[in-house]
Amino acid sequence: MTPQRYKTLRHMETVRNYLNAVICELLLRGEQHDQSKLEPPEVEAYDRITDGLLGLTYGSEAYRAVLKAVAPAISHHYACYRHHPEHFQDGYREMTLVDLLEMLCDWKAATLRHADGDIYRSIEINQQRFGFCGEIARMLHNTATWLDELHVYHKAEES
């Protein structure tokens, strides 16, 4: 094997190792996602509002009013998880790509719980809400399209 070929193989291995580290983090996030909703102070609030949220349009006045009624639990939740822009003082600007990916998957899953849920509309609403630049909104949109093409198995209607 030539020294150049060896270096190429080592580069490939290094990239694989970084990707595997990202995969491990994503798997961990999948296992730990929103676990705080199952414990105080959040569990009581989410038990109270979950069914009511399902019939509401995301981003509507009625939707925001329900969340406002349990604001302390919502604030606690945001403080626990970095896939929420509210977790950070400077919002999405402090997030990583892994955070953004988990956030988008969270939004996508949430849209499946609503009769009028639409991930692309959610991206637009949240672009205004959090001040995402157009490039980030475009990447989120492109990734949402890719997620749609994956045909992920779910039982969202039961969630």
Side-chain angles (χ1 to χ4, degrees):
M1 176 181 312
T2 66
Q4 294 81 6
R5 180 81 43 84
Y6 178 80
K7 289 178 181 178
T8 298
L9 290 170
R10 280 299 189 207
H11 169 76
M12 293 164 61
E13 176 186 52
T14 301
V15 171
R16 182 174 52 248
N17 291 343
Y18 276 109
L19 285 170
N20 285 337
V22 171
I23 289 165
C24 287
E25 177 64 19
L26 287 170
L27 288 169
L28 182 64
R29 299 242 189 146
E31 293 297 321
Q32 295 176 347
H33 182 82
D34 284 359
Q35 288 292 311
S36 66
K37 289 181 177 179
L38 302 176
E39 301 171 356
E42 296 178 35
V43 67
E44 297 86 3
Y46 282 99
D47 284 352
R48 207 167 57 244
I49 67 169
T50 296
D51 288 342
L53 287 174
L54 302 181
L56 300 176
T57 297
Y58 177 74
S60 67
E61 289 294 327
Y63 182 91
R64 287 193 297 272
V66 169
L67 294 183
K68 188 175 181 181
V70 292
I74 300 292
S75 294
H76 180 271
H77 182 72
Y78 292 158
C80 289
Y81 296 101
R82 56 180 299 125
H83 68 273
H84 293 287
E86 298 93 339
H87 179 83
F88 301 98
Q89 185 157 346
D90 200 21
Y92 80 91
R93 290 169 189 84
E94 295 182 58
M95 294 173 79
T96 67
L97 289 174
V98 172
D99 298 333
L100 290 171
L101 186 56
E102 183 180 3
M103 177 189 74
L104 181 64
C105 290
D106 193 16
W107 293 355
K108 174 64 178 170
T111 66
L112 298 174
R113 301 171 82 182
H114 297 269
D116 65 348
D118 180 337
I119 187 59
Y120 305 103
R121 180 159 153 55
S122 293
I123 292 168
E124 289 174 19
I125 290 168
N126 286 311
Q127 181 180 10
Q128 295 299 313
R129 180 179 172 199
F130 299 117
F132 296 148
C133 64
E135 289 83 5
I136 289 178
R138 178 74 182 256
M139 283 192 298
L140 292 172
H141 187 281
N142 293 343
T143 306
T145 300
W146 176 74
L147 289 172
D148 284 340
E149 293 168 358
L150 292 179
H151 304 290
V152 172
Y153 174 80
H154 64 81
K155 291 283 192 177
E157 67 279 358
E158 296 178 10
S159 66

